[in-house]
Amino acid sequence: MTDYLTNVEKIATDIVAKNAIEVDQAGAFPQAAIDALRDTGMLGLISAKSVGGLGQGPRAAALVVERLARECASTAMVTCMHYTAAIVIEKYGAEAVRKQLAQGGHLATLAFSEAGSRSHFWAPVSTAARDPNGICINAKKNWVTSAHHATLYVWSSKPVAAEGASTLWLIPSASSGISIAGRFDGLGLRGNDSTPVTAENVLIPTYAMLGEDGQGLAIMLDTVLPLFNVLTAATGIGLMEGATAAECNHVTGTRYDYLDSALSELPTIRAYLARMRITTDQARCLWLDTLHALETNREDVMLRVLECKAASGESATQVLDTAMRVCGGAAFRREVGVERRFRDARAGTVMAPTTDQLYDFIGKAICGLPVF
């Protein structure tokens, strides 16, 4: 087994699974898991070997996120956002920060969504203006995962002077003028520390620009979106796998004493489990095909990138709905692990790009219309 898979298996089993209930109940950031990923070099998974990283690609990141998501979707989402930010830094960042990231010196995240454009992440209303001391950033960002714990934000704004929808920047979270809202208290993904971040006259150097001025949308579409979509799809697939395993354990271990039979002996129960398994496998097949399309630069790669997140998000809600039905009243008990996954699965369909937006993009693509 590849070293990174060995490492993530141990982390998922020994740390993530044991802390998942506490992360959810307390809305606690999964710090122990992130520390373990750092200690094993996994935060540098997709950083180049030349800067001290493990030199892996999207498939490795996807497999890691999927395994974490089987136990805790909050941990998976924090890791997803780190890898998605890291790929931008790896491609456009300075060598010094790339080395720091590869060696576990940073936890990174994306800061794209805004109060003024909501889930339309590609259209920031925040500003970046030239200043005698560099670049002055002003913004009200929404839904910044790991907001209090990340040390680096990959940040979008309107261009400084060029044409285009946006420009990307690398902004340290400790920058003067950055303020972070209170703790996240939501329905699901309760440990992902996703809160608003405001920038008020934040001064950064001009070399903090990632790519060229006005190139932000192109980087989002060519670099960020493919990895982000396959990693959020991985989170949904991990949730389905975790739920299916929990259901099988429940129905084989729960009995009708008066009949001396297990729940798994009921044909209706087995039929529901079969549906869960089929739906999970269908989403997994599309996800794996998307990874193959990315690795081979196949002609239909963007269509697959759009499809895999939509399919995983919709499938996860369907599978977890079924899981609640199969488990009956027991599903409402936190220790069974079904209702937590039921809540976490809801995020996949409303996280930008939302499933409805993806359906529109996919429809445009198959009708021969410009997607973006």
Side-chain angles (χ1 to χ4, degrees), residues 145-201:
T145 298
S146 309
H148 293 88
H149 294 81
T151 54
L152 293 175
Y153 300 142
V154 172
W155 189 284
S156 63
S157 75
K158 289 182 177 180
V160 178
E163 296 292 326
S166 63
T167 296
L168 300 187
W169 308 90
L170 187 61
I171 300 183
S173 61
S175 300
S176 177
I178 291 287
S179 59
I180 306 171
R183 63 186 294 272
F184 175 70
D185 186 16
L187 175 72
L189 297 181
R190 289 178 45 76
N192 85 141
D193 185 28
S194 182
T195 64
V197 175
T198 300
E200 186 173 356
N201 296 324

Side-chain angles (χ1 to χ4, degrees), residues 86 260 303 365:
D260 191 27
L303 181 60

